[in-house]
Amino acid sequence: MEFSLFNLMTKPVDGSSHADVFQQMRTMTQMVDDAGFDVAWFAEHHLSNYCISPSPLMTTAHMAGQTKRIKLGPAVVVLPFYEPLRLVEDICLTDQLTEGRLVLGLGTGYQPREFRKFGFEINDRLRRGLEIWDCIEQGVYNGTVNYHGEHIQIDDAALSIAPRQDRIRTFAVGNAPEMRQKMIDYKAETLTTPALGPNTIVEMARGLYKETRAENGLSGDTFPFAVQRYVYVAKDKTDARAAAEQVLIHARMANNMRRPDPLMQGADLQIVPFENEPDIDTILERAIIGDVQEVTRRIVAEAREFGITHLSVFMQIASIPFANTLRSLDLFCDQVMPAVKTALETDKSGLPS
């Protein structure tokens, strides 16, 4: 199994500065680089403290100079917000500046306020986003964009820059049939984010992707399948419940942003309950929170049940004190990750696990 770190870069309403948030991101990314994680992801959101990283490709390029070997990338580039030629150039430039360590994450967004402020129709996000993905494929790998679609019109634009890699590894988020087909067409890997939903969401997403693979003549039950999870290694039950409370706060922020008109004070989201929100005990069941043994057990069990090949770890959640996050991440790197890898490698060898 591969491991990645997801950096959302929420700015808590607790006095933390922008500089604090970015320094924490640097510290965590450097830690997982040293520990042998495969990828560090950087989010993209706009106009709220939910995430203060509006340009994940810029963040990716910056972090290339702060790390040694880890792959780096946006999770995700919100495709509909971009002028496609500029995005294609920025992808090529970022791959050059990272010396070939760029990994792409692509998606079409979901927050109505962002679309409204940028002047785009949210109902067009899938079609527009997929057309921009087509432009990426043309420009990044053929050197010229010549595209005429419903939303994008570009005539014979030859690029002056090319990527360093022959092929940039790409992940995509979304269960729409058109998105799944595009993943197959462009050999992208699916990334599922169940958030606080039950495991049936992971099962459903894998099943849908498997169906699309079968429709394209790709048989078998073994294929890359990435999942992003809330993960926190707690020192005791009190610490675990406190982390679960912060997971709920994050979920309240995310659900508030899904409203047509989020409840906000300036750029800060109000923390408001949402309909049918889970209680803390349910969150402890659905998020991967517990001591070293429990977190290890949960990850191994889900990897076996759902064929997960890549786990994106979301650990700096809402207002969890950074010292607690660092302690959790250190335990994950030092104890959980090696134990998970040993268990799954034992499975492959055919020996009892």
Side-chain angles (χ1 to χ4, degrees), residues 108-135:
T108 57
Y110 67 91
Q111 297 185 357
R113 179 173 178 268
E114 292 182 337
F115 281 84
R116 188 171 67 252
K117 297 298 185 183
F118 276 98
F120 294 114
E121 292 291 333
I122 193 169
N123 291 337
D124 292 337
R125 69 188 187 278
L126 179 61
R127 293 189 299 274
R128 178 176 169 81
L130 293 181
E131 288 189 9
I132 293 173
W133 194 352
D134 290 338
C135 293

PDB file of all heavy atoms in Angstrom, residues 108-135:
ATOM      1  N   THR A 108     -13.814  18.372 -10.113  1.00  0.00           N
ATOM      2  CA  THR A 108     -14.667  19.405 -10.715  1.00  0.00           C
ATOM      3  C   THR A 108     -15.340  20.302  -9.685  1.00  0.00           C
ATOM      4  O   THR A 108     -16.146  21.151 -10.047  1.00  0.00           O
ATOM      5  CB  THR A 108     -15.741  18.760 -11.609  1.00  0.00           C
ATOM      6  OG1 THR A 108     -16.507  17.829 -10.851  1.00  0.00           O
ATOM      7  CG2 THR A 108     -15.100  18.048 -12.794  1.00  0.00           C
ATOM      8  N   GLY A 109     -15.015  20.149  -8.388  1.00  0.00           N
ATOM      9  CA  GLY A 109     -15.529  21.063  -7.381  1.00  0.00           C
ATOM     10  C   GLY A 109     -16.936  20.739  -6.928  1.00  0.00           C
ATOM     11  O   GLY A 109     -17.639  19.932  -7.537  1.00  0.00           O
ATOM     12  N   TYR A 110     -17.336  21.416  -5.829  1.00  0.00           N
ATOM     13  CA  TYR A 110     -18.668  21.137  -5.278  1.00  0.00           C
ATOM     14  C   TYR A 110     -19.249  22.291  -4.467  1.00  0.00           C
ATOM     15  O   TYR A 110     -20.399  22.224  -4.035  1.00  0.00           O
ATOM     16  CB  TYR A 110     -18.611  19.889  -4.379  1.00  0.00           C
ATOM     17  CG  TYR A 110     -17.809  20.067  -3.108  1.00  0.00           C
ATOM     18  CD1 TYR A 110     -18.422  20.505  -1.931  1.00  0.00           C
ATOM     19  CD2 TYR A 110     -16.447  19.814  -3.084  1.00  0.00           C
ATOM     20  CE1 TYR A 110     -17.687  20.689  -0.765  1.00  0.00           C
ATOM     21  CE2 TYR A 110     -15.709  19.988  -1.925  1.00  0.00           C
ATOM     22  CZ  TYR A 110     -16.337  20.430  -0.770  1.00  0.00           C
ATOM     23  OH  TYR A 110     -15.603  20.604   0.377  1.00  0.00           O
ATOM     24  N   GLN A 111     -18.486  23.364  -4.244  1.00  0.00           N
ATOM     25  CA  GLN A 111     -18.952  24.412  -3.339  1.00  0.00           C
ATOM     26  C   GLN A 111     -19.628  25.540  -4.128  1.00  0.00           C
ATOM     27  O   GLN A 111     -18.966  26.264  -4.882  1.00  0.00           O
ATOM     28  CB  GLN A 111     -17.788  24.955  -2.510  1.00  0.00           C
ATOM     29  CG  GLN A 111     -17.179  23.889  -1.598  1.00  0.00           C
ATOM     30  CD  GLN A 111     -16.095  24.424  -0.679  1.00  0.00           C
ATOM     31  OE1 GLN A 111     -15.736  25.588  -0.739  1.00  0.00           O
ATOM     32  NE2 GLN A 111     -15.576  23.559   0.184  1.00  0.00           N
ATOM     33  N   PRO A 112     -20.936  25.707  -3.995  1.00  0.00           N
ATOM     34  CA  PRO A 112     -21.683  26.672  -4.827  1.00  0.00           C
ATOM     35  C   PRO A 112     -21.149  28.099  -4.750  1.00  0.00           C
ATOM     36  O   PRO A 112     -21.109  28.795  -5.762  1.00  0.00           O
ATOM     37  CB  PRO A 112     -23.112  26.579  -4.277  1.00  0.00           C
ATOM     38  CG  PRO A 112     -23.200  25.233  -3.648  1.00  0.00           C
ATOM     39  CD  PRO A 112     -21.834  24.940  -3.105  1.00  0.00           C
ATOM     40  N   ARG A 113     -20.749  28.532  -3.561  1.00  0.00           N
ATOM     41  CA  ARG A 113     -20.291  29.909  -3.415  1.00  0.00           C
ATOM     42  C   ARG A 113     -19.042  30.177  -4.252  1.00  0.00           C
ATOM     43  O   ARG A 113     -18.897  31.249  -4.856  1.00  0.00           O
ATOM     44  CB  ARG A 113     -20.021  30.214  -1.934  1.00  0.00           C
ATOM     45  CG  ARG A 113     -19.519  31.637  -1.661  1.00  0.00           C
ATOM     46  CD  ARG A 113     -19.444  31.892  -0.171  1.00  0.00           C
ATOM     47  NE  ARG A 113     -18.933  33.233   0.128  1.00  0.00           N
ATOM     48  CZ  ARG A 113     -17.648  33.514   0.331  1.00  0.00           C
ATOM     49  NH1 ARG A 113     -16.736  32.543   0.277  1.00  0.00           N
ATOM     50  NH2 ARG A 113     -17.267  34.739   0.611  1.00  0.00           N
ATOM     51  N   GLU A 114     -18.135  29.216  -4.288  1.00  0.00           N
ATOM     52  CA  GLU A 114     -16.942  29.392  -5.095  1.00  0.00           C
ATOM     53  C   GLU A 114     -17.307  29.604  -6.564  1.00  0.00           C
ATOM     54  O   GLU A 114     -16.770  30.497  -7.233  1.00  0.00           O
ATOM     55  CB  GLU A 114     -16.019  28.179  -4.950  1.00  0.00           C
ATOM     56  CG  GLU A 114     -15.392  28.037  -3.574  1.00  0.00           C
ATOM     57  CD  GLU A 114     -14.447  26.856  -3.488  1.00  0.00           C
ATOM     58  OE1 GLU A 114     -14.578  25.902  -4.294  1.00  0.00           O
ATOM     59  OE2 GLU A 114     -13.562  26.874  -2.618  1.00  0.00           O
ATOM     60  N   PHE A 115     -18.206  28.778  -7.075  1.00  0.00           N
ATOM     61  CA  PHE A 115     -18.598  28.911  -8.475  1.00  0.00           C
ATOM     62  C   PHE A 115     -19.262  30.264  -8.735  1.00  0.00           C
ATOM     63  O   PHE A 115     -18.987  30.923  -9.741  1.00  0.00           O
ATOM     64  CB  PHE A 115     -19.544  27.770  -8.870  1.00  0.00           C
ATOM     65  CG  PHE A 115     -18.828  26.481  -9.149  1.00  0.00           C
ATOM     66  CD1 PHE A 115     -18.495  25.615  -8.113  1.00  0.00           C
ATOM     67  CD2 PHE A 115     -18.471  26.142 -10.435  1.00  0.00           C
ATOM     68  CE1 PHE A 115     -17.816  24.434  -8.366  1.00  0.00           C
ATOM     69  CE2 PHE A 115     -17.788  24.959 -10.704  1.00  0.00           C
ATOM     70  CZ  PHE A 115     -17.463  24.105  -9.666  1.00  0.00           C
ATOM     71  N   ARG A 116     -20.120  30.665  -7.834  1.00  0.00           N
ATOM     72  CA  ARG A 116     -20.826  31.935  -8.029  1.00  0.00           C
ATOM     73  C   ARG A 116     -19.850  33.102  -8.041  1.00  0.00           C
ATOM     74  O   ARG A 116     -19.949  34.001  -8.892  1.00  0.00           O
ATOM     75  CB  ARG A 116     -21.871  32.122  -6.931  1.00  0.00           C
ATOM     76  CG  ARG A 116     -22.793  33.319  -7.161  1.00  0.00           C
ATOM     77  CD  ARG A 116     -23.944  33.343  -6.167  1.00  0.00           C
ATOM     78  NE  ARG A 116     -23.494  33.587  -4.797  1.00  0.00           N
ATOM     79  CZ  ARG A 116     -23.484  32.674  -3.843  1.00  0.00           C
ATOM     80  NH1 ARG A 116     -23.901  31.427  -4.090  1.00  0.00           N
ATOM     81  NH2 ARG A 116     -23.076  32.978  -2.621  1.00  0.00           N
ATOM     82  N   LYS A 117     -18.892  33.099  -7.117  1.00  0.00           N
ATOM     83  CA  LYS A 117     -17.940  34.205  -7.045  1.00  0.00           C
ATOM     84  C   LYS A 117     -17.006  34.232  -8.260  1.00  0.00           C
ATOM     85  O   LYS A 117     -16.568  35.310  -8.678  1.00  0.00           O
ATOM     86  CB  LYS A 117     -17.129  34.124  -5.751  1.00  0.00           C
ATOM     87  CG  LYS A 117     -17.949  34.267  -4.479  1.00  0.00           C
ATOM     88  CD  LYS A 117     -18.631  35.626  -4.382  1.00  0.00           C
ATOM     89  CE  LYS A 117     -19.348  35.783  -3.060  1.00  0.00           C
ATOM     90  NZ  LYS A 117     -20.075  37.078  -2.970  1.00  0.00           N
ATOM     91  N   PHE A 118     -16.709  33.068  -8.818  1.00  0.00           N
ATOM     92  CA  PHE A 118     -15.870  33.022 -10.004  1.00  0.00           C
ATOM     93  C   PHE A 118     -16.663  33.245 -11.294  1.00  0.00           C
ATOM     94  O   PHE A 118     -16.084  33.350 -12.376  1.00  0.00           O
ATOM     95  CB  PHE A 118     -15.116  31.688 -10.082  1.00  0.00           C
ATOM     96  CG  PHE A 118     -13.846  31.663  -9.286  1.00  0.00           C
ATOM     97  CD1 PHE A 118     -13.825  31.111  -8.025  1.00  0.00           C
ATOM     98  CD2 PHE A 118     -12.673  32.185  -9.796  1.00  0.00           C
ATOM     99  CE1 PHE A 118     -12.654  31.084  -7.270  1.00  0.00           C
ATOM    100  CE2 PHE A 118     -11.499  32.166  -9.053  1.00  0.00           C
ATOM    101  CZ  PHE A 118     -11.487  31.617  -7.782  1.00  0.00           C
ATOM    102  N   GLY A 119     -17.978  33.274 -11.191  1.00  0.00           N
ATOM    103  CA  GLY A 119     -18.805  33.553 -12.360  1.00  0.00           C
ATOM    104  C   GLY A 119     -19.094  32.360 -13.229  1.00  0.00           C
ATOM    105  O   GLY A 119     -19.415  32.515 -14.418  1.00  0.00           O
ATOM    106  N   PHE A 120     -19.029  31.136 -12.651  1.00  0.00           N
ATOM    107  CA  PHE A 120     -19.328  29.925 -13.409  1.00  0.00           C
ATOM    108  C   PHE A 120     -20.598  29.278 -12.874  1.00  0.00           C
ATOM    109  O   PHE A 120     -20.917  29.383 -11.677  1.00  0.00           O
ATOM    110  CB  PHE A 120     -18.177  28.918 -13.313  1.00  0.00           C
ATOM    111  CG  PHE A 120     -16.907  29.373 -13.968  1.00  0.00           C
ATOM    112  CD1 PHE A 120     -15.774  29.634 -13.218  1.00  0.00           C
ATOM    113  CD2 PHE A 120     -16.845  29.543 -15.345  1.00  0.00           C
ATOM    114  CE1 PHE A 120     -14.603  30.057 -13.818  1.00  0.00           C
ATOM    115  CE2 PHE A 120     -15.679  29.967 -15.958  1.00  0.00           C
ATOM    116  CZ  PHE A 120     -14.552  30.217 -15.191  1.00  0.00           C
ATOM    117  N   GLU A 121     -21.303  28.575 -13.741  1.00  0.00           N
ATOM    118  CA  GLU A 121     -22.474  27.818 -13.339  1.00  0.00           C
ATOM    119  C   GLU A 121     -22.032  26.480 -12.750  1.00  0.00           C
ATOM    120  O   GLU A 121     -21.339  25.704 -13.412  1.00  0.00           O
ATOM    121  CB  GLU A 121     -23.402  27.580 -14.534  1.00  0.00           C
ATOM    122  CG  GLU A 121     -24.080  28.828 -15.062  1.00  0.00           C
ATOM    123  CD  GLU A 121     -25.108  29.368 -14.081  1.00  0.00           C
ATOM    124  OE1 GLU A 121     -25.657  28.566 -13.300  1.00  0.00           O
ATOM    125  OE2 GLU A 121     -25.350  30.590 -14.100  1.00  0.00           O
ATOM    126  N   ILE A 122     -22.450  26.197 -11.527  1.00  0.00           N
ATOM    127  CA  ILE A 122     -22.041  24.939 -10.911  1.00  0.00           C
ATOM    128  C   ILE A 122     -22.614  23.741 -11.651  1.00  0.00           C
ATOM    129  O   ILE A 122     -22.011  22.673 -11.704  1.00  0.00           O
ATOM    130  CB  ILE A 122     -22.410  24.910  -9.404  1.00  0.00           C
ATOM    131  CG1 ILE A 122     -21.701  23.730  -8.715  1.00  0.00           C
ATOM    132  CG2 ILE A 122     -23.927  24.876  -9.212  1.00  0.00           C
ATOM    133  CD1 ILE A 122     -21.793  23.768  -7.208  1.00  0.00           C
ATOM    134  N   ASN A 123     -23.769  23.907 -12.286  1.00  0.00           N
ATOM    135  CA  ASN A 123     -24.373  22.796 -13.023  1.00  0.00           C
ATOM    136  C   ASN A 123     -23.582  22.429 -14.276  1.00  0.00           C
ATOM    137  O   ASN A 123     -23.792  21.361 -14.848  1.00  0.00           O
ATOM    138  CB  ASN A 123     -25.814  23.122 -13.397  1.00  0.00           C
ATOM    139  CG  ASN A 123     -26.726  23.167 -12.185  1.00  0.00           C
ATOM    140  OD1 ASN A 123     -26.435  22.571 -11.149  1.00  0.00           O
ATOM    141  ND2 ASN A 123     -27.826  23.893 -12.295  1.00  0.00           N
ATOM    142  N   ASP A 124     -22.687  23.303 -14.722  1.00  0.00           N
ATOM    143  CA  ASP A 124     -21.849  23.021 -15.889  1.00  0.00           C
ATOM    144  C   ASP A 124     -20.489  22.455 -15.505  1.00  0.00           C
ATOM    145  O   ASP A 124     -19.645  22.231 -16.379  1.00  0.00           O
ATOM    146  CB  ASP A 124     -21.623  24.314 -16.693  1.00  0.00           C
ATOM    147  CG  ASP A 124     -22.895  24.817 -17.363  1.00  0.00           C
ATOM    148  OD1 ASP A 124     -23.813  24.010 -17.584  1.00  0.00           O
ATOM    149  OD2 ASP A 124     -22.951  26.027 -17.659  1.00  0.00           O
ATOM    150  N   ARG A 125     -20.257  22.252 -14.208  1.00  0.00           N
ATOM    151  CA  ARG A 125     -18.897  21.958 -13.761  1.00  0.00           C
ATOM    152  C   ARG A 125     -18.347  20.663 -14.351  1.00  0.00           C
ATOM    153  O   ARG A 125     -17.153  20.586 -14.679  1.00  0.00           O
ATOM    154  CB  ARG A 125     -18.821  21.919 -12.232  1.00  0.00           C
ATOM    155  CG  ARG A 125     -19.536  20.756 -11.559  1.00  0.00           C
ATOM    156  CD  ARG A 125     -19.552  20.957 -10.041  1.00  0.00           C
ATOM    157  NE  ARG A 125     -20.077  19.823  -9.311  1.00  0.00           N
ATOM    158  CZ  ARG A 125     -21.375  19.584  -9.120  1.00  0.00           C
ATOM    159  NH1 ARG A 125     -22.278  20.416  -9.639  1.00  0.00           N
ATOM    160  NH2 ARG A 125     -21.774  18.533  -8.424  1.00  0.00           N
ATOM    161  N   LEU A 126     -19.176  19.629 -14.507  1.00  0.00           N
ATOM    162  CA  LEU A 126     -18.669  18.357 -15.018  1.00  0.00           C
ATOM    163  C   LEU A 126     -18.272  18.494 -16.483  1.00  0.00           C
ATOM    164  O   LEU A 126     -17.152  18.134 -16.868  1.00  0.00           O
ATOM    165  CB  LEU A 126     -19.713  17.260 -14.844  1.00  0.00           C
ATOM    166  CG  LEU A 126     -19.304  15.878 -15.371  1.00  0.00           C
ATOM    167  CD1 LEU A 126     -18.064  15.363 -14.648  1.00  0.00           C
ATOM    168  CD2 LEU A 126     -20.452  14.872 -15.231  1.00  0.00           C
ATOM    169  N   ARG A 127     -19.161  19.034 -17.320  1.00  0.00           N
ATOM    170  CA  ARG A 127     -18.854  19.136 -18.750  1.00  0.00           C
ATOM    171  C   ARG A 127     -17.657  20.059 -18.990  1.00  0.00           C
ATOM    172  O   ARG A 127     -16.766  19.742 -19.773  1.00  0.00           O
ATOM    173  CB  ARG A 127     -20.080  19.621 -19.526  1.00  0.00           C
ATOM    174  CG  ARG A 127     -21.237  18.611 -19.524  1.00  0.00           C
ATOM    175  CD  ARG A 127     -22.338  19.032 -20.483  1.00  0.00           C
ATOM    176  NE  ARG A 127     -22.920  20.326 -20.113  1.00  0.00           N
ATOM    177  CZ  ARG A 127     -23.903  20.484 -19.252  1.00  0.00           C
ATOM    178  NH1 ARG A 127     -24.422  19.429 -18.652  1.00  0.00           N
ATOM    179  NH2 ARG A 127     -24.382  21.687 -18.976  1.00  0.00           N
ATOM    180  N   ARG A 128     -17.672  21.225 -18.318  1.00  0.00           N
ATOM    181  CA  ARG A 128     -16.554  22.147 -18.489  1.00  0.00           C
ATOM    182  C   ARG A 128     -15.254  21.514 -17.979  1.00  0.00           C
ATOM    183  O   ARG A 128     -14.204  21.606 -18.622  1.00  0.00           O
ATOM    184  CB  ARG A 128     -16.839  23.462 -17.760  1.00  0.00           C
ATOM    185  CG  ARG A 128     -15.708  24.469 -17.835  1.00  0.00           C
ATOM    186  CD  ARG A 128     -16.064  25.800 -17.173  1.00  0.00           C
ATOM    187  NE  ARG A 128     -14.876  26.621 -17.034  1.00  0.00           N
ATOM    188  CZ  ARG A 128     -14.346  27.361 -18.006  1.00  0.00           C
ATOM    189  NH1 ARG A 128     -14.928  27.381 -19.186  1.00  0.00           N
ATOM    190  NH2 ARG A 128     -13.257  28.080 -17.804  1.00  0.00           N
ATOM    191  N   GLY A 129     -15.324  20.872 -16.811  1.00  0.00           N
ATOM    192  CA  GLY A 129     -14.133  20.259 -16.242  1.00  0.00           C
ATOM    193  C   GLY A 129     -13.540  19.182 -17.126  1.00  0.00           C
ATOM    194  O   GLY A 129     -12.312  19.101 -17.301  1.00  0.00           O
ATOM    195  N   LEU A 130     -14.391  18.349 -17.716  1.00  0.00           N
ATOM    196  CA  LEU A 130     -13.878  17.273 -18.564  1.00  0.00           C
ATOM    197  C   LEU A 130     -13.288  17.823 -19.855  1.00  0.00           C
ATOM    198  O   LEU A 130     -12.320  17.259 -20.392  1.00  0.00           O
ATOM    199  CB  LEU A 130     -14.992  16.269 -18.856  1.00  0.00           C
ATOM    200  CG  LEU A 130     -15.479  15.474 -17.632  1.00  0.00           C
ATOM    201  CD1 LEU A 130     -16.569  14.489 -18.024  1.00  0.00           C
ATOM    202  CD2 LEU A 130     -14.336  14.750 -16.928  1.00  0.00           C
ATOM    203  N   GLU A 131     -13.839  18.922 -20.368  1.00  0.00           N
ATOM    204  CA  GLU A 131     -13.241  19.541 -21.548  1.00  0.00           C
ATOM    205  C   GLU A 131     -11.848  20.089 -21.218  1.00  0.00           C
ATOM    206  O   GLU A 131     -10.911  19.969 -22.022  1.00  0.00           O
ATOM    207  CB  GLU A 131     -14.142  20.657 -22.084  1.00  0.00           C
ATOM    208  CG  GLU A 131     -15.400  20.132 -22.763  1.00  0.00           C
ATOM    209  CD  GLU A 131     -16.183  21.224 -23.472  1.00  0.00           C
ATOM    210  OE1 GLU A 131     -15.677  22.357 -23.590  1.00  0.00           O
ATOM    211  OE2 GLU A 131     -17.314  20.938 -23.922  1.00  0.00           O
ATOM    212  N   ILE A 132     -11.718  20.664 -20.038  1.00  0.00           N
ATOM    213  CA  ILE A 132     -10.396  21.163 -19.638  1.00  0.00           C
ATOM    214  C   ILE A 132      -9.423  20.009 -19.455  1.00  0.00           C
ATOM    215  O   ILE A 132      -8.233  20.123 -19.812  1.00  0.00           O
ATOM    216  CB  ILE A 132     -10.527  22.032 -18.375  1.00  0.00           C
ATOM    217  CG1 ILE A 132     -11.300  23.319 -18.720  1.00  0.00           C
ATOM    218  CG2 ILE A 132      -9.159  22.373 -17.782  1.00  0.00           C
ATOM    219  CD1 ILE A 132     -11.645  24.174 -17.531  1.00  0.00           C
ATOM    220  N   TRP A 133      -9.895  18.874 -18.947  1.00  0.00           N
ATOM    221  CA  TRP A 133      -9.020  17.694 -18.854  1.00  0.00           C
ATOM    222  C   TRP A 133      -8.565  17.273 -20.249  1.00  0.00           C
ATOM    223  O   TRP A 133      -7.396  16.928 -20.457  1.00  0.00           O
ATOM    224  CB  TRP A 133      -9.750  16.562 -18.145  1.00  0.00           C
ATOM    225  CG  TRP A 133      -8.864  15.432 -17.709  1.00  0.00           C
ATOM    226  CD1 TRP A 133      -7.537  15.238 -18.013  1.00  0.00           C
ATOM    227  CD2 TRP A 133      -9.232  14.322 -16.892  1.00  0.00           C
ATOM    228  NE1 TRP A 133      -7.069  14.076 -17.432  1.00  0.00           N
ATOM    229  CE2 TRP A 133      -8.085  13.507 -16.738  1.00  0.00           C
ATOM    230  CE3 TRP A 133     -10.423  13.946 -16.271  1.00  0.00           C
ATOM    231  CZ2 TRP A 133      -8.109  12.327 -16.001  1.00  0.00           C
ATOM    232  CZ3 TRP A 133     -10.448  12.768 -15.527  1.00  0.00           C
ATOM    233  CH2 TRP A 133      -9.304  11.965 -15.393  1.00  0.00           C
ATOM    234  N   ASP A 134      -9.465  17.306 -21.228  1.00  0.00           N
ATOM    235  CA  ASP A 134      -9.059  17.008 -22.606  1.00  0.00           C
ATOM    236  C   ASP A 134      -7.936  17.942 -23.057  1.00  0.00           C
ATOM    237  O   ASP A 134      -6.979  17.510 -23.717  1.00  0.00           O
ATOM    238  CB  ASP A 134     -10.249  17.168 -23.559  1.00  0.00           C
ATOM    239  CG  ASP A 134     -11.322  16.096 -23.385  1.00  0.00           C
ATOM    240  OD1 ASP A 134     -11.003  15.015 -22.862  1.00  0.00           O
ATOM    241  OD2 ASP A 134     -12.475  16.364 -23.780  1.00  0.00           O
ATOM    242  N   CYS A 135      -8.049  19.220 -22.717  1.00  0.00           N
ATOM    243  CA  CYS A 135      -7.013  20.185 -23.097  1.00  0.00           C
ATOM    244  C   CYS A 135      -5.687  19.871 -22.417  1.00  0.00           C
ATOM    245  O   CYS A 135      -4.611  20.037 -23.028  1.00  0.00           O
ATOM    246  CB  CYS A 135      -7.460  21.603 -22.745  1.00  0.00           C
ATOM    247  SG  CYS A 135      -8.863  22.205 -23.715  1.00  0.00           S
TER     248      CYS A 135
END
